[in-house]
Amino acid sequence: WGWKGGPPWKLPQKARARLCPQPALAQEHQVLSWVHPWGPSHQVSSPSSPEAPDIPTCPSLGQKIKKSTPAAGQPPQLTSSQNQDTISELASCLQRARELGARVRVLKSSAQDVGESCTPEANGHPEEPCGEKAPAYQRFHALAQPGPPGLVLPYKYQVLAEMFRSMDTIVGMLHNRSETPTFAKVQRGVQDMMRRRFEERNVGQIKTVYPASYCFRQERGVPTFKDGVKRSDYQLTIEPLLEQEADGAAPQLTASRLLQRRQIFSQKLVEHVKEHHKAFLASLRPPMVVPEDQLTRWHPRFNVDEVPDIEPAVLPQPPATEKLTTAQEVLARARSLMSPRMEKALSQLALRSAEPSSPGSPRPALPATPPATPPAASPSALKGVSQDLLERVRAKEAQKQLAQMTRCLEQEQRLQRLERLPELARVLRSVFVSERKPALSMEVACARMVGSCRTAMSPGEMEKHLLLLSELLPDWLRLHHIRTDTYVKLDKGADLASITARLVRQARAEEGL
């Protein structure tokens, strides 16, 4: 370093000042040489810094401020040229800001006008809700087609055409090998080919577009080779409608016919879209009329992908199962479970009920027991039993079965209540014994019995049982109506076993009617 004390930065401050003298305005130059936050292009250069030779020098804002700042101890001196430069520069910046604001407002208004003109309502199509909005590759499918614009089909129509092609291929394979095509087989094959769901709704749409393509029937007895479907179940069969061969042989669904049917289906889809296009042209102002044979492309404002979907046609449904609605149908169904004599008695009863009867005619009596005819061979378990006794038992059983099949709903409910009465009689007596009162109100008695009975019943249903009990045994259970309340009074001294026996006999008697 040539200095015996070492490098300059290790010297004392006074020696450094003598060795490296600085100009008096160094601190001012350092203050003005700061880096501008907008980039190096806006950086204020100090007077001591070298400038590029190819860039013209221009006074910066820092230099103007430095020049306009008076020295210490001197009064400020402002020239008229400096004031005019500053005012003109501020005026030009303000004018530029106003011009930019005006351009922004014009661009916003033009964007709003374009958005309103492109809405679905302006094109004659209803706006879809946000939850059901189709993806963009479906809504703008027609715009993404290669080649010149033409009669492009909507995306959903092209999917339906592809479904028809796959369905025709599967049906042709099954038909050519003399196998009955069913919907289950065709559905599985089409879904494997397209990797897309194929349902009866799509088959109905195909029938709507091309009704002469298939014949649909509901048949049973078709082998399915599946565990979930029985052979006796009805299945939807699909038969292709083909022209007969010239030599009388069975028609085959060949490749040329498959291609012909596919072209016919595509043409029918185009005709379906043409109908919507014609309605769109008629809704314009002024309306337009274009011959269909001269139409080569759609109207520019006609949104092809917004065409409504095809309504599916009604397919044959399996016949409704047989339902028994009258007593005569029930008897006809139960004939196979009865003896010949019982069948004869029921047939006579059906004939009598079919005859018109006057309103005052008495109720027809049950058929009398036919004369006994000895059976061909008696079972070994009934050996030694008289035939008359067997006939009486069989007649009584037949009478009971007939009463069960012809019983109305009210009679069935009454019999169910009669079966519960023996148990309810014991519960009622225990309630009166525990309460130690000669009479109880109907509400209290029903509430206590509902809590003690094994069968779950409501208080209203329990009250019906008590009313029936008082009707059958008025000497044991009596009801007293006082003002708006009803009180129940029980004879505690009566034998409970005899009471229950009477109720059992009454239930058996009414069950045999």
Side-chain angles (χ1 to χ4, degrees), residues 154-204:
Y155 177 80
K156 47 194 171 185
Y157 284 21
Q158 292 192 5
V159 171
L160 188 62
E162 187 68 16
M163 286 183 177
F164 176 79
R165 184 189 67 83
S166 304
M167 178 180 174
D168 221 13
T169 303
I170 301 298
V171 171
M173 292 172 57
L174 298 175
H175 176 75
N176 292 341
R177 63 188 183 194
S178 301
E179 185 177 349
T180 305
T182 61
F183 175 74
K185 301 176 184 177
V186 174
Q187 182 185 29
R188 184 169 59 253
V190 172
Q191 290 181 163
D192 291 343
M193 291 178 65
M194 297 192 60
R195 304 297 180 187
R196 186 185 294 269
R197 294 186 62 182
F198 184 73
E199 302 174 349
E200 289 190 8
R201 179 178 179 274
N202 305 121
V203 180

Side-chain angles (χ1 to χ4, degrees), residues 145-260:
Q145 296 302 310
L151 301 179
V152 182
L153 290 174
Y155 177 80
K156 47 194 171 185
Y157 284 21
Q158 292 192 5
V159 171
L160 188 62
E162 187 68 16
M163 286 183 177
F164 176 79
R165 184 189 67 83
S166 304
M167 178 180 174
D168 221 13
T169 303
I170 301 298
V171 171
M173 292 172 57
L174 298 175
H175 176 75
N176 292 341
R177 63 188 183 194
S178 301
E179 185 177 349
T180 305
T182 61
F183 175 74
K185 301 176 184 177
V186 174
Q187 182 185 29
R188 184 169 59 253
V190 172
Q191 290 181 163
D192 291 343
M193 291 178 65
M194 297 192 60
R195 304 297 180 187
R196 186 185 294 269
R197 294 186 62 182
F198 184 73
E199 302 174 349
E200 289 190 8
R201 179 178 179 274
N202 305 121
V203 180
Q205 291 177 336
I206 291 174
K207 183 179 179 181
T208 302
V209 177
Y210 194 8
S213 58
Y214 300 104
C215 177
F216 302 93
R217 287 190 296 268
Q218 285 286 345
E219 298 180 6
R220 59 181 177 181
V222 180
T224 57
F225 309 103
K226 292 179 64 177
D227 298 335
V229 182
K230 300 180 180 179
R231 187 165 184 172
S232 59
D233 295 343
Y234 282 93
Q235 298 184 65
L236 180 63
T237 60
I238 306 171
E239 179 185 0
L241 298 178
L242 305 173
E243 297 178 0
Q244 293 294 332
E245 297 288 346
D247 54 354
Q252 298 288 324
L253 200 55
T254 58
S256 59
R257 288 186 174 179
L258 288 175
L259 182 59
Q260 181 183 3

Side-chain angles (χ1 to χ4, degrees), residues 293-341:
D293 55 346
Q294 300 179 6
L295 185 65
T296 58
R297 65 181 65 182
W298 309 120
H299 192 275
R301 291 176 54 190
F302 177 68
N303 196 346
V304 182
D305 293 301
E306 294 292 336
V307 173
D309 207 349
I310 298 174
E311 292 293 332
V314 180
L315 298 176
Q317 299 297 325
T321 58
E322 182 181 3
K323 295 182 180 180
L324 305 179
T325 56
T326 61
Q328 189 172 1
E329 294 178 358
V330 175
L331 296 176
R333 177 62 64 85
R335 283 181 180 177
S336 59
L337 306 177
M338 301 177 186
S339 60
R341 289 187 298 275

Side-chain angles (χ1 to χ4, degrees), residues 3 7-22:
W3 183 262
W9 56 84
K10 291 187 178 181
L11 298 177
Q13 184 177 4
K14 293 181 179 180
R16 275 204 315 270
R18 289 196 302 270
L19 182 64
C20 302
Q22 296 180 0

